[in-house]
Amino acid sequence: MGEGVDDGVGDGKARRMPRAVRERQMLDAAVVTFGRRGYRAASMDEIAELAGVSKPLVYLYLNSKEDLFTACIRREAQALVTAVRSGVDPDLTADGQLWSGLRAFFTHTAEHPDAWSVLHHQARTHGEPFAREVSQMREEIVAFVTALIHEAAQEAHGATELAERDVAGLAQALVGAAESLAGWANASDSVTAKEAAATLMNFAWAGLGNLMRGERWSPRHQPAH
Amino acid sequence: MGEGVDDGVGDGKARRMPRAVRERQMLDAAVVTFGRRGYRAASMDEIAELAGVSKPLVYLYLNSKEDLFTACIRREAQALVTAVRSGVDPDLTADGQLWSGLRAFFTHTAEHPDAWSVLHHQARTHGEPFAREVSQMREEIVAFVTALIHEAAQEAHGATELAERDVAGLAQALVGAAESLAGWANASDSVTAKEAAATLMNFAWAGLGNLMRGERWSPRHQPAH
Amino acid sequence: MGEGVDDGVGDGKARRMPRAVRERQMLDAAVVTFGRRGYRAASMDEIAELAGVSKPLVYLYLNSKEDLFTACIRREAQALVTAVRSGVDPDLTADGQLWSGLRAFFTHTAEHPDAWSVLHHQARTHGEPFAREVSQMREEIVAFVTALIHEAAQEAHGATELAERDVAGLAQALVGAAESLAGWANASDSVTAKEAAATLMNFAWAGLGNLMRGERWSPRHQPAH
Amino acid sequence: MGEGVDDGVGDGKARRMPRAVRERQMLDAAVVTFGRRGYRAASMDEIAELAGVSKPLVYLYLNSKEDLFTACIRREAQALVTAVRSGVDPDLTADGQLWSGLRAFFTHTAEHPDAWSVLHHQARTHGEPFAREVSQMREEIVAFVTALIHEAAQEAHGATELAERDVAGLAQALVGAAESLAGWANASDSVTAKEAAATLMNFAWAGLGNLMRGERWSPRHQPAH
DNA sequence: GATGAATGAGGCTTCATTCAT
DNA sequence: GATGAATGAAGCCTCATTCAT
């Protein structure tokens, strides 16, 4: 963890490198630092040191702390969405797609915990330039899940028509559950991505099926004890 | 919002008040400020001004920014747990308890958005003294939900024995879904606490039931398209 | 020159003083520093040290470097205008007023060379927030001189009507000449304010008289040699 | 103004050009930048970009920011003095020479406002290496004007002997008035160089004539009102 | 001859925190 | 009990300047 990104050099003055490479190293360092310390608590000094360059170079390439954070968010949001989409085969049934998407999601978040922290925690806690960036990504994922729910409804012959708001709520719930499980799995590293995905499928799929059959839970059920 | 917390006094130099009252005003102001700005971005100056007292007094009563934040977390965590527990009648069936607990939860988070922001967002994004505080509260809620799941299993005669890890995962998923829905409901204020709770019950209850009947979703289901 | 403004204390931590006093000390130090180094080259560190306080206090009272510089300009512009006006007895004839005004002007600039540098050099060389401030003062003085010229024209019976533009140009020339002489007198301290004023009166008064008698210099005068 | 100084080349990577040309382009860019931003606020980056070359080349040719600024001052001072001298025919009478010199002066400052800003404003506001440079030029002009005054005195038969200090003061006043009028004419572009020169001649010539006839303004003139 | 890559040093500003009254 | 006065420390950012190619 000492020199952060390994550039094959002991230490000394940072070796000459093409801009693209340096920029990537800086983003790597920034994601780690922002992810662990938070936006405000992360210092440009620390990021530069972890990247193995001097601070002015960070500014030369990434402009400002704000721009740097935004660049991190964009890159990692893109990476996460790409990972999930790549993990899904659109020829599968809806539940198959959900299953593989969840596996990809949990795998990615487990492999990039700092990136996940940036997206899930840090970006959402710091005002408007940033929250919007990550919101867009989240909306994209929610939309994907929403589409899957509709697809599942079509596959289930004779499914009751689902109200839009219900679907939206379900998607929110599902995504939120996934986010929570990602943190849980990351915290206790004995839980694998596959297990997390299975837990969520078990939890969610039956509920969805019920709904599509028009069976809804209602408070009236409650019998006195 | 001018003078922040209304202290029932015209204005002038803050009147001599009992310590407990003053302290509450400071915490109120701190929760608002921390909730909106985040821990690092909130300044003691702003908090003191919003509380209507001088900065040294804040230090006299609450010692340091860290202690102040911790006090906020503790107070609001306590308040949330209390709200949820008070909303639940232990004589109801498990699903009834879950239903009323969720309603209490969504109601409380909707009525105290800054407090919720402190607990859900701010406290978790800033290193160790704070994350632990809120983790304990979350564990308490997870434990409560876990107990409900076990209770439900007992109520369902002939229920398959549930593995501990499954239950833990389910509880995490349920709590995560609730957190996500709280944010969703707060963002679009057309969604009421009751609706959010209903959405989650619909989503979760069937899944729980299935599980208890030993019906689990499994990847083998996936047919080729 | 060591501790700048004498506050009667050896050195150590700056003694408690009422805000108004401290603010004046800071402005004093700032005028000296800005006047000698220029706006950009003057550092807040140097100003604070010369004022005998810590930097944050400067910011607490004066907000920013820009505001501090503006405050300097305003204070010194006011002081200069006041000095000139106070030196003039409006019951005198126009030339008497001009004479006493010039004496007051040269006396003031000689006694406050740093302030004069701020107004004449520094404020005019640094973009828009500042140039405007000092422009207003200069316009005020130009207007005063313009009024004097008109008054002189009235005193001279049978004076030719003067064109507005001519008067404006004359006033500019006179003020410019005065500014230049102020620098000259300051540079070689053997020239007194009174001598500078006399030089300018000799230079200017006859020209004004001529003009008012309608005698204008014209290129046609030029005889071949 | 995109590429700054037109180098007669399409664009691309700055073509190999003779050193003298490159150097001139850099000085041109520097004069513009220094004239508009001031010495400290101008950045070598901006100058290099405006000149269409890379920063190291600027250093290779001109050594340092200080040297670059000095080179600007020297070049523009030379240019101004040359312009004035070239505009004057030494065979004319003293007033004719003054008239044509002033015209040349106002024409040059109007045509090279950035250069004039460098000489008149920027160079004089920044400490010792620079102020001296421009002082020398100013002395040269003052000496020229002084010579003209003496010449005029000789032309006027029976002229009273003029004290050296008086002549020096007059020359300072005249030059200062010219500087002020140059700024005035540049600011409101409705004033032409010729008009500015005429204004100053009217203002100054009669005064000079008076003086040479031994008629001096004296405070004793002042009658009570 | 010309430049992309890189940095030491320093400036403005803010903040948590403490005295002395 | 309460506060106006004051600061050490640290953070963001820019700039003049130099290598290595």
Side-chain angles (χ1 to χ4, degrees):
Chain A
M1 200 162 295
E3 256 305 285
V5 186
D6 183 8
D7 55 0
V9 188
D11 175 279
K13 303 306 183 74
R15 265 294 242 281
R16 289 287 185 94
M17 309 197 64
R19 174 164 178 157
V21 176
R22 269 282 135 81
E23 224 169 292
R24 202 167 60 71
Q25 291 176 341
M26 289 175 194
L27 285 175
D28 289 345
V31 167
V32 170
T33 310
F34 284 135
R36 293 178 188 179
R37 299 246 189 283
Y39 176 59
R40 294 286 300 233
S43 87
M44 293 300 272
D45 265 309
E46 187 178 356
I47 292 172
E49 184 176 330
L50 185 58
V53 293
S54 69
K55 230 186 328 172
L57 200 59
V58 180
Y59 280 91
L60 188 60
Y61 286 174
L62 275 335
N63 260 343
S64 71
K65 195 182 189 183
E66 193 172 321
D67 283 4
L68 174 56
F69 193 40
T70 304
C72 290
I73 296 171
R74 288 217 177 108
R75 189 181 77 165
E76 298 306 333
Q78 194 61 53
L80 176 54
V81 168
T82 300
V84 171
R85 283 209 189 282
S86 312
V88 173
D89 175 356
D91 290 338
L92 297 181
T93 53
D95 66 333
Q97 288 185 55
L98 185 56
W99 162 248
S100 50
L102 286 174
R103 290 230 298 174
F105 174 79
F106 288 121
T107 302
H108 188 89
T109 56
E111 282 172 355
H112 306 280
D114 295 320
W116 174 242
S117 168
V118 165
L119 293 176
H120 184 50
H121 290 292
Q122 311 305 346
R124 312 186 89 175
T125 6
H126 292 100
E128 248 331 288
F130 314 126
R132 188 168 37 253
E133 291 290 335
V134 78
S135 265
Q136 286 175 9
M137 175 207 66
R138 203 176 189 267
E139 288 314 314
E140 204 172 329
I141 291 193
V142 168
F144 178 60
V145 171
T146 305
L148 280 187
I149 295 177
H150 283 301
E151 201 172 322
Q154 277 188 301
E155 286 170 5
H157 313 292
T160 307
E161 200 65 24
L162 290 175
E164 258 321 307
R165 155 148 329 162
D166 280 342
V167 175
L170 290 176
Q172 288 287 342
L174 210 162
V175 169
E179 289 166 347
S180 176
L181 286 175
W184 177 65
N186 267 8
S188 70
D189 46 23
S190 69
V191 180
T192 68
K194 198 169 166 182
E195 287 167 336
T199 295
L200 189 44
M201 283 305 286
N202 281 328
F203 179 61
W205 198 248
L208 292 178
N210 260 8
L211 285 176
M212 288 181 288
R213 283 187 299 279
E215 299 170 16
R216 312 175 117 257
W217 182 94
S218 121
R220 278 167 275 151
H221 280 211
Q222 293 172 243
H225 202 42
Chain B
M1 201 157 291
E3 257 305 286
V5 187
D6 183 6
D7 54 0
V9 187
D11 173 281
K13 293 295 176 164
R15 271 268 171 280
R16 204 69 80 72
M17 309 193 66
R19 171 159 181 157
V21 176
R22 270 282 151 81
E23 218 167 300
R24 199 167 60 72
Q25 291 176 344
M26 291 177 195
L27 284 176
D28 288 344
V31 167
V32 169
T33 309
F34 285 135
R36 293 180 187 180
R37 299 244 190 286
Y39 176 59
R40 296 286 300 228
S43 83
M44 295 298 272
D45 265 307
E46 189 177 356
I47 292 171
E49 189 183 14
L50 185 60
V53 295
S54 69
K55 238 186 320 175
L57 200 59
V58 179
Y59 279 88
L60 189 62
Y61 283 4
L62 285 129
N63 220 29
S64 73
K65 194 183 188 185
E66 197 173 317
D67 286 2
L68 174 56
F69 192 43
T70 304
C72 289
I73 296 171
R74 287 213 178 110
R75 189 182 76 165
E76 297 306 331
Q78 195 59 54
L80 175 54
V81 169
T82 300
V84 171
R85 284 210 189 282
S86 313
V88 172
D89 174 356
D91 291 338
L92 295 181
T93 53
D95 67 333
Q97 287 186 53
L98 185 56
W99 163 249
S100 50
L102 287 173
R103 292 228 298 174
F105 173 79
F106 288 122
T107 302
H108 187 89
T109 56
E111 282 173 355
H112 305 281
D114 294 323
W116 174 241
S117 167
V118 165
L119 293 176
H120 184 50
H121 287 136
Q122 312 305 345
R124 311 187 91 176
T125 42
H126 293 100
E128 248 332 290
F130 314 125
R132 188 167 38 254
E133 291 290 334
V134 79
S135 265
Q136 286 174 10
M137 173 207 68
R138 204 175 187 268
E139 287 315 314
E140 203 170 329
I141 291 195
V142 168
F144 176 62
V145 171
T146 305
L148 280 187
I149 294 176
H150 282 302
E151 201 172 326
Q154 276 189 301
E155 287 170 4
H157 313 293
T160 307
E161 200 65 24
L162 290 175
E164 254 326 303
R165 157 156 319 168
D166 279 343
V167 175
L170 290 176
Q172 287 287 343
L174 210 162
V175 169
E179 289 166 346
S180 176
L181 285 174
W184 178 64
N186 267 10
S188 71
D189 47 22
S190 70
V191 181
T192 67
K194 196 169 167 184
E195 287 167 336
T199 295
L200 190 44
M201 285 303 288
N202 280 327
F203 179 62
W205 198 248
L208 293 177
N210 259 7
L211 285 176
M212 288 181 290
R213 283 188 298 280
E215 300 171 17
R216 312 176 116 257
W217 182 94
S218 121
R220 277 167 274 151
H221 280 212
Q222 296 172 241
H225 201 43
Chain C
M1 198 161 297
E3 258 305 286
V5 186
D6 184 8
D7 56 0
V9 186
D11 175 280
K13 304 304 185 72
R15 265 293 244 282
R16 290 287 186 93
M17 309 198 63
R19 172 164 180 157
V21 176
R22 268 283 134 84
E23 223 169 291
R24 201 166 60 71
Q25 292 176 340
M26 289 176 194
L27 283 176
D28 290 344
V31 167
V32 170
T33 309
F34 284 135
R36 294 180 186 175
R37 299 247 191 282
Y39 176 59
R40 294 286 299 233
S43 87
M44 294 299 272
D45 265 309
E46 187 178 356
I47 292 171
E49 184 177 329
L50 185 59
V53 294
S54 69
K55 234 186 326 173
L57 201 60
V58 180
Y59 279 90
L60 188 60
Y61 286 175
L62 285 121
N63 260 344
S64 71
K65 195 183 188 183
E66 193 172 320
D67 283 4
L68 175 55
F69 193 41
T70 303
C72 289
I73 295 172
R74 289 219 177 105
R75 189 181 77 166
E76 297 307 331
Q78 194 61 52
L80 176 54
V81 168
T82 300
V84 172
R85 284 209 189 283
S86 313
V88 172
D89 175 355
D91 290 337
L92 297 181
T93 52
D95 67 331
Q97 288 185 54
L98 185 56
W99 163 248
S100 51
L102 286 173
R103 290 229 299 174
F105 174 78
F106 288 120
T107 301
H108 188 89
T109 56
E111 281 172 356
H112 306 280
D114 294 322
W116 174 241
S117 168
V118 165
L119 293 177
H120 183 51
H121 290 293
Q122 312 304 346
R124 313 187 89 174
T125 9
H126 292 100
E128 249 330 290
F130 314 124
R132 188 167 38 255
E133 290 290 334
V134 78
S135 264
Q136 286 174 9
M137 175 207 66
R138 203 176 189 265
E139 288 313 315
E140 204 171 327
I141 291 194
V142 168
F144 177 60
V145 171
T146 304
L148 280 187
I149 294 177
H150 282 301
E151 201 171 324
Q154 276 189 300
E155 287 169 5
H157 313 293
T160 307
E161 200 66 23
L162 292 176
E164 258 322 305
R165 154 151 326 167
D166 279 343
V167 176
L170 290 176
Q172 288 288 342
L174 210 163
V175 169
E179 289 166 348
S180 176
L181 285 175
W184 177 64
N186 267 8
S188 69
D189 47 23
S190 69
V191 180
T192 67
K194 195 168 166 185
E195 287 167 337
T199 295
L200 190 44
M201 284 304 286
N202 281 327
F203 180 61
W205 199 248
L208 292 177
N210 260 7
L211 285 177
M212 288 182 289
R213 282 189 299 278
E215 300 171 16
R216 310 176 120 258
W217 183 93
S218 121
R220 277 167 277 150
H221 280 211
Q222 293 173 246
H225 201 45
Chain D
M1 200 157 293
E3 258 305 287
V5 186
D6 183 6
D7 55 1
V9 187
D11 173 279
K13 293 294 175 164
R15 270 267 172 281
R16 204 70 79 70
M17 308 194 64
R19 170 158 182 157
V21 177
R22 270 280 150 83
E23 218 168 299
R24 199 166 62 72
Q25 290 176 344
M26 291 176 193
L27 283 176
D28 289 345
V31 167
V32 169
T33 309
F34 284 134
R36 293 179 188 180
R37 299 243 191 284
Y39 176 59
R40 296 288 298 229
S43 83
M44 294 299 272
D45 264 307
E46 189 178 354
I47 292 171
E49 189 182 14
L50 186 59
V53 295
S54 70
K55 239 187 318 176
L57 200 58
V58 179
Y59 278 89
L60 189 61
Y61 283 5
L62 285 130
N63 222 26
S64 73
K65 194 184 189 184
E66 196 172 318
D67 285 2
L68 174 56
F69 193 41
T70 304
C72 289
I73 296 173
R74 287 215 179 110
R75 189 181 78 166
E76 297 306 330
Q78 195 59 52
L80 175 54
V81 168
T82 299
V84 171
R85 284 211 188 281
S86 313
V88 172
D89 175 354
D91 292 336
L92 296 180
T93 52
D95 68 332
Q97 288 185 55
L98 185 55
W99 163 248
S100 50
L102 287 173
R103 292 229 298 175
F105 174 79
F106 288 121
T107 301
H108 188 89
T109 56
E111 282 173 355
H112 305 282
D114 294 323
W116 175 241
S117 168
V118 165
L119 293 176
H120 184 51
H121 286 134
Q122 312 304 346
R124 311 187 90 174
T125 41
H126 292 100
E128 249 331 292
F130 314 125
R132 188 167 38 253
E133 291 291 332
V134 78
S135 265
Q136 286 174 10
M137 173 206 68
R138 205 175 187 268
E139 286 315 315
E140 204 171 328
I141 290 193
V142 168
F144 177 62
V145 171
T146 305
L148 279 187
I149 296 177
H150 282 302
E151 202 171 324
Q154 277 188 301
E155 286 169 5
H157 312 294
T160 307
E161 198 65 24
L162 292 175
E164 253 327 300
R165 154 149 329 163
D166 279 343
V167 176
L170 290 177
Q172 288 287 343
L174 210 163
V175 169
E179 289 166 348
S180 177
L181 285 175
W184 178 64
N186 267 10
S188 71
D189 47 22
S190 69
V191 181
T192 67
K194 196 169 166 183
E195 288 167 336
T199 296
L200 190 43
M201 283 305 287
N202 280 327
F203 179 63
W205 200 248
L208 292 178
N210 260 8
L211 284 177
M212 287 181 291
R213 283 188 298 277
E215 300 171 16
R216 310 177 117 257
W217 183 93
S218 121
R220 278 166 274 151
H221 280 211
Q222 293 171 245
H225 202 43

